[in-house]
């Protein structure tokens, strides 16, 4: 049975999008952004989701407890630009029921 | 001048497999790649990562996939121009092409197949508004000749292996080395981090953390940088500013070849042969785009196969070629080797 959660993604233009994100399709946040075309193709998920490009960096603006960063994600964010304390890589955030109500803002393209 | 039948730009899995499919059609291939070894991203970025969707390989390490491809194409004796980036392309009167690299190596072929993946990997440039005007005037993203920095005052920015390694190296070359990093923690090899710590303790490297370079200063050339540390912004004199933030994929000079570009990829006119808007130039693998495109290695293999059939017809318009199965025709290499199914033993029973 499909279980969707509601999340809010603020795109790079500052426009807020309320999105139904499936929890049963093994998708991550970067793939959600791509599937809803919230950022131009070629500007997000460039490395395919391997934490190697930081094109899917986003700022987590809600208080959700998210999975800990892997070494790869932490290393990529150490070299990325526009990084804030609440930065995460969308490709490393797998959509789960615990993310209900999550709000993220896409980081600027770099 | 290097001459070949199909000039392949990009030596990733798709480019390498093109050699095999072209070889079956008796077409010679030569590959150009900006990286110093074949394999593209698989070899350079994630050689130890497993891939699970290559047919008949339930699991294969990216590096092993490249090794197997190199073994598979060996009989077809491909040529390689490695460590050089395809820079310009010139169409000849006969419809063939001359491709010249950034180091001036020229290649001539009737067919060019761009298998450039995500593009060439270019240094990631920090978002400093005025940095572009100082490039090659004191701002360098790649250290080509360390002697350029002898007895100079150098500021390096970054927190990975590259920033650490060059800080260590230049500590004995430059008059002053300052390493600026946004975090207090460094993500490089432990040995490198410890060396930087030692050099800092000896006063040979200055560390400024957590901090960011926010502006380049100078009249025509770099004379300093502006550094933001917390709420404070201060200037630091230097002769060179070297941001080392890793590499990011860019389409590179190919973007200026007159090819139709869409969504940072090369648009192909059709999925019959993956030819671009310039006849004789094909785009295969992750570098192309068309309706329904999937950026998967196995799709690149498929595209390479169809492209080679079309390339054959372009090179030999008067010849007819019928596709043969390797199980039937075997594989005959340009090196004289031949692989074929063993003949059945026929012997009468008396």
């Amino acid at each position: 049975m499909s279980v969707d959660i509601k999340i809010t993604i603020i795109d790079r233009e500052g426009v807020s999008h309320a999105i139904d994100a499936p929890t049963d399709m093994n998708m991550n946040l970067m793939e959600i952004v791509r599937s809803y075309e919230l950022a131009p193709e070629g500007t997000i998920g460039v490395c395919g989701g391997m934490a190697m490009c930081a094109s899917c960096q986003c700022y987590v603006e809600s208080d959700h407890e998210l999975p800990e960063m892997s070494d790869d994600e932490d290393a990529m964010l150490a070299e990325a630009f526009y990084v804030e304390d609440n930065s995460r890589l969308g490709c490393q955030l797998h959509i789960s029921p615990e993310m209900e109500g999550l709000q993220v803002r896409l980081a600027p393209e770099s | 001048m290097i001459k070949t039948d199909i000039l392949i730009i990009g030596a990733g899995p798709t480019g390498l497999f093109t050699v095999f499919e072209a070889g079956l059609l008796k077409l010679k291939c030569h590959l150009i790649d900006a990286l110093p070894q074949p394999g593209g991203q698989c070899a350079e970025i994630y050689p130890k990562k497993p891939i699970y969707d290559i047919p008949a390989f339930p699991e294969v390490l990216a590096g092993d996939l490249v090794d197997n491809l190199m073994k598979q194409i060996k009989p077809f004796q491909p040529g390689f121009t490695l460590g050089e980036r395809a820079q310009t392309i010139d169409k000849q009167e006969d419809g063939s092409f001359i491709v010249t690299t950034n180091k001036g190596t020229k290649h001539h072929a009737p067919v060019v197949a761009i298998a450039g993946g995500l593009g060439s990997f270019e240094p990631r440039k920090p978002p400093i508004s005025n940095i572009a005007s100082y490039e090659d005037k004191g701002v360098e993203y790649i250290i080509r000749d360390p002697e350029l920095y002898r007895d100079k005052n150098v500021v390096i920015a970054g927190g990975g292996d590259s920033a650490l390694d060059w800080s260590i190296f230049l500590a004995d070359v430059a008059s002053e080395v300052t390493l600026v990093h946004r975090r207090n923690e460094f993500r490089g090899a432990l040995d490198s981090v410890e060396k930087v710590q030692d050099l800092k303790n000896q006063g040979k490297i200055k560390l400024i953390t957590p901090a960011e370079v926010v502006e380049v200063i100078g009249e025509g050339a770099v004379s300093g940088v502006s550094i933001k540390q917390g709420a404070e912004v201060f200037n630091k004199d230097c002769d060179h500013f070297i941001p080392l933030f890793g590499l990011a994929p860019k389409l590179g000079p190919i973007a200026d070849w007159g090819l139709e570009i869409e969504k940072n990829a090369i648009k192909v006119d059709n999925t019959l042969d993956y030819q671009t808007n310039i006849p004789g130039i094909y785009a295969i693998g992750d570098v192309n785009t068309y309706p329904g495109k999937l950026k998967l290695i196995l799709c690149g293999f498929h595209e390479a196969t169809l492209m080679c059939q079309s390339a054959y017809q372009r090179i030999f318009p008067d010849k007819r070629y019928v596709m043969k199965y390797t199980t039937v025709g075997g594989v005959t290499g340009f090196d004289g080797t031949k692989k074929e199914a063993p003949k059945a033993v026929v012997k009468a029973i008396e």
Side-chain angles (χ1 to χ4, degrees), chain A residues 38-73:
Chain A
L38 302 183
E41 184 73 25
T43 68
I44 192 152
V46 172
C47 75
M50 291 187 283
M52 288 176 176
C53 71
S55 61
C56 63
Q57 184 193 167
C58 59
Y59 308 121
V60 178
E61 297 192 334
S62 53
D63 292 330
H64 287 71
E65 200 162 306
L66 297 173
E68 266 188 43
M69 274 191 209
S70 65
D71 279 353
D72 287 346
E73 183 179 359

Side-chain angles (χ1 to χ4, degrees), chain A residues 52 74 77-82, chain B residues 45 125-127 160 182-183 187:
Chain A
M52 288 176 176
D74 191 37
L77 286 172
E79 293 212 317
F81 306 125
Y82 306 114
Chain B
I45 301 178
K125 300 180 181 180
R182 196 177 51 239
R183 298 179 176 185
R187 295 290 319 195

Side-chain angles (χ1 to χ4, degrees), chain B residues 84-160:
Chain B
E84 299 184 32
R85 187 173 61 188
Q87 194 76 23
T88 60
I89 190 164
D90 295 299
K91 191 164 190 173
Q92 306 300 292
E93 278 185 13
D94 64 355
S96 64
F97 301 92
I98 291 178
V99 173
T100 307
T101 69
N102 59 327
K103 293 188 180 169
T105 310
K106 290 187 181 296
H107 309 75
H108 183 218
V111 165
V112 173
I114 301 172
L118 295 175
S120 56
F121 283 76
E122 311 272 337
R124 193 180 280 119
K125 300 180 181 180
I128 298 172
S129 60
N130 66 344
I131 197 166
S133 56
Y134 293 97
E135 288 173 1
D136 298 324
K137 295 170 186 164
V139 167
E140 293 93 27
Y141 303 104
I142 293 174
I143 294 178
R144 292 189 174 85
D145 177 14
E147 281 302 310
L148 180 66
Y149 307 101
R150 184 161 295 283
D151 302 326
K152 297 286 171 58
N153 184 343
V154 174
V155 171
I156 294 174

